[in-house]
Amino acid sequence: MFSWTYWKSIFTPPATPCKKFQLSYSDKQRYEMEERPDAQKQILVDIARKLPIFTRAQSGAIRFCDRCQVLKPDRCHHCSVCETCVLKMDHHCPWVNNCVGFSNYKLFLLFLAYSMLYCIFIAATVFQYFLKFWVGDLPNGPAKFHILFLMFVALMFFVSLMFLFSYHCWLVAKNRSTLEAFSAPVFVSGPDRNGFDVGLRRNLQQVFGENKRMWFIPVFTGQGNGHYFPLRSQNSESHSSLLANEDMWEESDDGSEEGSLVEDVDPSVTIEMED
C-alpha cells in the first residue's frame, strides 16, 4: 500500500481547468485586438457570467491567469513548477515531484498514512534486536549498524510524518488547502477562511467520497470535478446539482455550450491579471 500510494501520488497528473474556463480562439482574438481596458474587462466579465466563480483576487477582481489564458475556478492556482493552473491546488510537493491538488489529494493523504504505518512496522520488527544491542547481547558485526540505522530513521520519519499528516487531517476537517490556510480565500463579501467549510462529514466526503469502504484504497473517489465547491454561506441543497452533474461541463456536438453554470453574476466586477 505504501508503494501503491507513492506511485499514484507521483504519476497522477494534476487536474487543470476545462475548456469552459479557457478563452476560445475568437474570444482571445477579440480580447487582444481590443485596445480599451474597459472593453477588455467587459469581454472577460461576459465569459465569467456563465461560470460558477465565487472567489476573487485580493483586490476584489475576478482571478484571471494570463499565462494559461483561463479564468481561474474557485480554489485553482497557477503552479510555476508545473507551469499550469491546478484545480484545488494544495502545494507542489518535491517528495513526489508533483502538484498535490484535486486529482491526487486523497492519494497524498493515504501516502502519508501508509508511510507512518510502514515506519511503525519497521520500528516494531527491529525493536527486539535494538533491546539486545542495548543490553549487550547482540553479537559484534555489521548488524549493529543496520539495527541502529533502521530504528532511528524509522522513528525520525514517523515523527515528521505524524506532524505533517495531523496538519493535513486538520485541513481536511476544515475544508482548507495549504494555500488557503496561509492566505484566506476572498469572496465578494471579503476574506473568509471558512468559506468552503460545510461541516465535518461533508468535508470528508468531498475528499474521500461517500463509500467508506473505498476511503483507504488509493483510487480517486472524491466528489465533483474540481471546478465548483459548495459554499458555507449558501444552501447546499440548491447547489448539489452543480456538484454532481458532470454533463453541464460537456460541449455539444456542434461546439455550443449547453446551459449556464451560473445564472447571475454582478456585472460591475473587475478583472485583474494574475500570474
Side-chain angles (χ1 to χ4, degrees), residues 85-97:
C85 285
V86 179
L87 295 178
K88 196 188 175 183
M89 180 178 175
D90 188 87
H91 67 286
H92 186 90
C93 180
W95 294 100
V96 299
N97 192 29

Side-chain angles (χ1 to χ4, degrees), residues 58 178-186 193:
Q58 292 293 334
T178 301
L179 295 176
E180 292 168 352
F182 286 95
S183 179
V186 180
R193 292 187 182 275

Side-chain angles (χ1 to χ4, degrees), residues 21 48 83 134 176 191 193:
F21 292 82
E83 297 183 350
W134 189 261
R176 300 176 190 172
R193 292 187 182 275

Side-chain angles (χ1 to χ4, degrees), residues 143-191:
K144 284 187 174 182
F145 172 76
H146 297 161
I147 291 172
L148 287 175
F149 178 81
L150 286 174
M151 190 69 183
F152 284 107
V153 170
L155 292 177
M156 179 183 65
F157 272 96
F158 171 76
V159 173
S160 301
L161 290 168
M162 180 181 63
F163 284 107
L164 182 60
F165 181 70
S166 301
Y167 175 68
H168 278 280
C169 287
W170 178 77
L171 290 178
V172 173
K174 296 294 185 179
N175 204 343
R176 300 176 190 172
S177 65
T178 301
L179 295 176
E180 292 168 352
F182 286 95
S183 179
V186 180
F187 299 88
V188 176
S189 58

Side-chain angles (χ1 to χ4, degrees), residues 55-76:
T55 56
R56 300 290 186 263
Q58 292 293 334
S59 61
I62 291 179
R63 303 186 307 142
F64 178 76
C65 181
D66 192 38
R67 296 181 181 179
C68 299
Q69 293 292 297
V70 297
L71 295 174
K72 292 182 180 180
D74 292 346
R75 317 184 81 173
C76 176

Side-chain angles (χ1 to χ4, degrees), residues 10-243:
I10 294 175
F11 292 102
T12 300
T16 57
C18 68
K19 294 182 179 179
K20 296 283 187 178
F21 292 82
Q22 297 176 356
L23 294 181
S24 64
Y25 179 78
S26 59
D27 290 334
K28 183 184 293 187
Q29 289 291 104
R30 191 158 54 99
Y31 177 80
E32 293 178 350
M33 293 179 63
E34 183 60 58
E35 297 180 356
R36 295 171 299 173
D38 292 340
Q40 289 181 332
K41 293 178 182 179
Q42 187 59 43
I43 292 173
L44 297 179
V45 168
D46 293 339
I47 301 173
R49 184 175 289 112
K50 299 179 180 179
L51 301 174
I53 298 177
F54 300 99
T55 56
R56 300 290 186 263
Q58 292 293 334
S59 61
I62 291 179
R63 303 186 307 142
F64 178 76
C65 181
D66 192 38
R67 296 181 181 179
C68 299
Q69 293 292 297
V70 297
L71 295 174
K72 292 182 180 180
D74 292 346
R75 317 184 81 173
C76 176
H77 298 274
H78 184 88
C79 177
S80 59
V81 180
C82 297
E83 297 183 350
T84 186
C85 285
V86 179
L87 295 178
K88 196 188 175 183
M89 180 178 175
D90 188 87
H91 67 286
H92 186 90
C93 180
W95 294 100
V96 299
N97 192 29
N98 196 7
C99 255
V100 177
F102 175 78
S103 62
N104 60 354
Y105 187 57
K106 173 194 171 182
L107 307 176
F108 177 75
L109 290 176
L110 292 180
F111 165 63
L112 296 180
Y114 287 120
S115 298
M116 290 174 55
L117 293 178
Y118 191 30
C119 290
I120 294 175
F121 172 77
I122 294 175
T125 54
V126 174
F127 184 69
Q128 57 177 323
Y129 302 103
F130 179 78
L131 289 179
K132 291 182 179 181
F133 165 78
W134 189 261
V135 298
D137 292 341
L138 195 69
N140 291 326
K144 284 187 174 182
F145 172 76
H146 297 161
I147 291 172
L148 287 175
F149 178 81
L150 286 174
M151 190 69 183
F152 284 107
V153 170
L155 292 177
M156 179 183 65
F157 272 96
F158 171 76
V159 173
S160 301
L161 290 168
M162 180 181 63
F163 284 107
L164 182 60
F165 181 70
S166 301
Y167 175 68
H168 278 280
C169 287
W170 178 77
L171 290 178
V172 173
K174 296 294 185 179
N175 204 343
R176 300 176 190 172
S177 65
T178 301
L179 295 176
E180 292 168 352
F182 286 95
S183 179
V186 180
F187 299 88
V188 176
S189 58
D192 186 3
R193 292 187 182 275
N194 300 316
F196 297 104
D197 186 359
V198 290
L200 178 60
R201 182 178 63 86
R202 295 186 63 203
N203 291 343
L204 291 174
Q205 289 177 350
Q206 283 189 24
V207 178
F208 295 98
E210 297 183 0
N211 188 356
K212 294 182 179 180
R213 291 177 296 181
M214 297 295 294
W215 280 16
F216 302 101
I217 307 299
V219 294
F220 179 82
T221 56
Q223 292 180 334
N225 50 28
H227 295 81
Y228 167 80
F229 299 91
L231 303 179
R232 184 185 59 155
S233 59
Q234 295 176 336
N235 185 356
S236 60
E237 294 181 358
S238 64
H239 292 272
S240 59
S241 60
L242 279 174
L243 187 63

